[in-house]
Every structure is written in C-alpha cells, then in structure tokens.
C-alpha cells in the first residue's frame, strides 16, 4: 500500500489549500481515510477522518474550516482547508486504516509522506 500526498505550500492567513492523497496497491476496501498533522516537538494529532460509510470526525480547532472527503472508486482522500490560521502550520500526513488487501484485513494504519503547510503573511 502506497500513499502519495500533494497540495501543501505557503498560504496567507485566511487563505485556502486543498490536500490530496492517492492510495495505490492491491486494495479491496479501505475503512478509514484521513489526515494527521505534526508540529516539531509535538505529538502527531488527528485532523480529520472519513469512514467508508460516510461518517466524519474532526479535531475541534478545524471544525467548520476543514472538510475531509474521499473518492472511493479512486481511493483518494482530500482535505479542503479554508480560513487557514498560522497555528495550522504543520506537516500533514494522510493515512488509511482498516484496509482489505486480497481478502485479508489489516487494521494497522498506513502512512504517506508528509506535506508541509505553512500559513504566514
């Protein structure tokens, strides 16, 4: 299973960015797709997650500003980030968990390489 994230960059406060993460491999099904972020010196924290049945979960500080979505047929997850704040600056990592590969179920998460989001004027 490979995850390729893109879309990070530098944006001014109040601006928007859209992150994308394409998942490849011999995958039958993915239960959860989402995003974490990490600031140097701090633990990685969950930003947003999207389940196969359509439920979503957000970290409190991003509710109403970020939207996670997925294209199941393409195994791609997106994170639309609006009204960005300097405190959103971090490396963002996409992940998947609850993956079925050739009929076998794996609950261990798979991670992509991070993409840096910098919010600064």
């Amino acid at each position: 299973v490979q995850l390729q994230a893109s879309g990070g960059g530098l944006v001014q406060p109040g601006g928007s960015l859209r992150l994308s993460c394409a998942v490849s491999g011999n995958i039958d099904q993915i239960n959860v797709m989402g995003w974490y972020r990490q600031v140097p010196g701090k633990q990685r924290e969950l930003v947003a997650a999207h389940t196969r049945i359509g439920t979503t979960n957000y970290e409190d500080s991003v509710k109403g500003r970020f939207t996670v979505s997925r294209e199941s047929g393409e195994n791609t997850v997106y994170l639309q980030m609006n009204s960005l704040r300097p405190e959103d600056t971090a490396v963002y990592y996409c992940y998947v968990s609850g993956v079925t590969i050739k009929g076998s179920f794996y609950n261990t998460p798979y991670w992509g390489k991070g993409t840096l989001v910098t919010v600064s004027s």
Side-chain angles (χ1 to χ4, degrees):
V1 177
Q2 293 185 329
L3 290 77
Q4 181 65 51
S6 61
L10 172 64
V11 63
Q12 292 186 340
S16 299
L17 280 176
R18 189 190 195 207
L19 306 183
S20 302
C21 180
V23 185
S24 60
N26 292 316
I27 299 169
D28 300 324
Q29 183 174 278
I30 301 173
N31 278 1
V32 182
M33 305 178 79
W35 299 86
Y36 274 71
R37 66 186 178 187
Q38 188 168 25
V39 175
K42 294 187 177 181
Q43 285 190 331
R44 194 175 293 189
E45 65 174 2
L46 176 67
V47 177
H50 192 297
T51 71
R52 183 173 58 86
I53 62 172
T55 58
T56 56
N57 183 38
Y58 295 93
E59 194 271 328
D60 285 344
S61 71
V62 308
K63 288 179 180 177
R65 300 188 297 122
F66 290 11
T67 302
V68 62
S69 60
R70 61 190 280 181
E71 291 186 31
S72 295
E74 298 292 329
N75 283 339
T76 302
V77 62
Y78 303 96
L79 184 67
Q80 178 66 44
M81 305 184 293
N82 299 327
S83 301
L84 282 160
R85 304 168 180 170
E87 53 264 39
D88 295 317
T89 296
V91 177
Y92 285 70
Y93 298 88
C94 60
Y95 81 102
V96 296
S97 65
V99 181
T100 302
I101 302 172
K102 295 183 178 179
S104 296
F105 179 80
Y106 300 88
N107 206 31
T108 303
Y110 295 87
W111 297 92
K113 293 182 180 179
T115 184
L116 177 63
V117 172
T118 303
V119 184
S120 176
S121 55

